[in-house]
Amino acid sequence: ITNLQNSLTEKETALEELEPPAEGTAAPASGLRDGIKYGILGAVLGAFVAVFGICVVFLMSDKLHSAKDIKNRFGLKILAVFSKPARKGVLSGIDSWLDRMEGNMMRRPADVYELMAVNVKNYMEAGREILVIGSVSGEKLEEVAAELRKRIPGADILAGHDMGSSVETLKMLPEAGQIVLVEEREQSKCEDIQSQLEIIRSLDKTVVGCVVL
């Protein structure tokens, strides 16, 4: 019994001498919480930097982004705006939202050509030759000119090429009575459009308006 009492006394003494654990070593949950917090903060900052970079690239780009650029920057009438091909995948919803913000509705090409011809008829000067030019491919310029010929009988409508690369088009320009420009979003450059307009206006030629692809 004496031994048991001695052992019990020793255990009680050892228990009294134990110290509580330090606060810093008993908080694994706190460390995890801090990790999650800084991870979320890093993700938010990364997203902000990415959006800022996209905005800078967009603003620094010289490409034509919308039909509104033609009207607001160059003061031209918009004859028609063709719908952009629908994109598939994750970004398709964003493209649709941007089109709605710009007021662009999905239209059949035939309907857009009809609207284009009506506007050209309204703005053109009868009896004067129309030259279709722009900074798009010659095939697209010829296609627009052909559609105008079908819808405006008797009008003298010719298709040129990009004045920046076609000497023949520059030769045709002095004889042209009026001009229809054709430009393409995300392809045509505003600097090229400005250069074309400077040449056209230096020759006192009338710009009927612009078709936006």
Side-chain angles (χ1 to χ4, degrees):
I1 294 176
T2 302
N3 291 336
L4 289 175
Q5 288 178 339
N6 291 337
S7 177
L8 179 59
T9 300
E10 292 175 359
K11 300 298 184 187
E12 290 176 347
T13 302
L15 183 61
E16 291 176 356
E17 292 176 351
L18 287 176
E19 295 181 358
E23 293 182 359
T25 60
S30 176
L32 178 62
R33 185 165 56 249
D34 289 342
I36 294 174
K37 179 176 66 176
Y38 289 117
I40 294 174
L41 180 61
V44 171
L45 290 176
F48 175 79
V49 171
V51 171
F52 178 77
I54 292 171
C55 291
V56 170
V57 171
F58 184 86
L59 293 174
M60 295 295 290
S61 172
D62 189 45
K63 289 184 179 179
L64 178 69
H65 296 296
S66 72
K68 289 182 180 179
D69 294 340
I70 291 290
K71 183 178 180 180
N72 297 335
R73 181 168 180 174
F74 303 108
L76 299 178
K77 297 182 182 71
I78 303 300
L79 301 175
V81 180
F82 284 81
S83 299
K84 292 185 287 187
R87 293 181 62 175
K88 297 180 180 180
V90 178
L91 298 179
S92 59
I94 298 176
D95 284 342
S96 299
W97 177 73
L98 290 174
D99 284 339
R100 288 194 298 271
M101 291 289 291
E102 293 176 9
N104 298 332
M105 297 183 295
M106 291 297 295
R107 294 190 178 99
R108 297 183 306 140
D111 295 336
V112 180
Y113 280 128
E114 195 65 36
L115 176 64
M116 173 186 69
V118 169
N119 283 331
V120 171
K121 284 181 184 178
N122 290 338
Y123 300 137
M124 67 182 283
E125 298 179 28
R128 301 184 68 190
E129 178 186 276
I130 296 175
L131 179 61
V132 180
I133 59 176
S135 57
V136 299
S137 67
E139 291 78 8
K140 292 178 180 178
L141 293 172
E142 179 56 46
E143 182 180 347
V144 170
E147 293 293 337
L148 285 174
R149 292 188 202 105
K150 288 194 301 184
R151 290 169 170 79
I152 311 178
D156 190 7
I157 301 173
L158 302 176
H161 291 82
D162 184 355
M163 287 192 298
S165 59
S166 173
V167 176
E168 291 302 318
T169 299
L170 290 173
K171 292 179 180 178
M172 295 169 64
L173 194 57
E175 305 300 323
Q178 47 203 331
I179 307 297
V180 169
L181 277 180
V182 181
E183 304 297 343
E184 186 171 3
R185 286 164 291 183
E186 307 304 333
Q187 296 296 326
S188 299
K189 294 183 177 180
C190 293
E191 182 180 2
D192 294 339
I193 298 172
Q194 182 64 44
S195 298
Q196 292 179 96
L197 289 174
E198 288 175 357
I199 296 173
I200 292 168
R201 288 165 177 167
S202 69
L203 296 172
D204 293 326
K205 299 301 176 182
T206 300
V207 180
V208 178
C210 183
V211 177
V212 181
L213 304 180

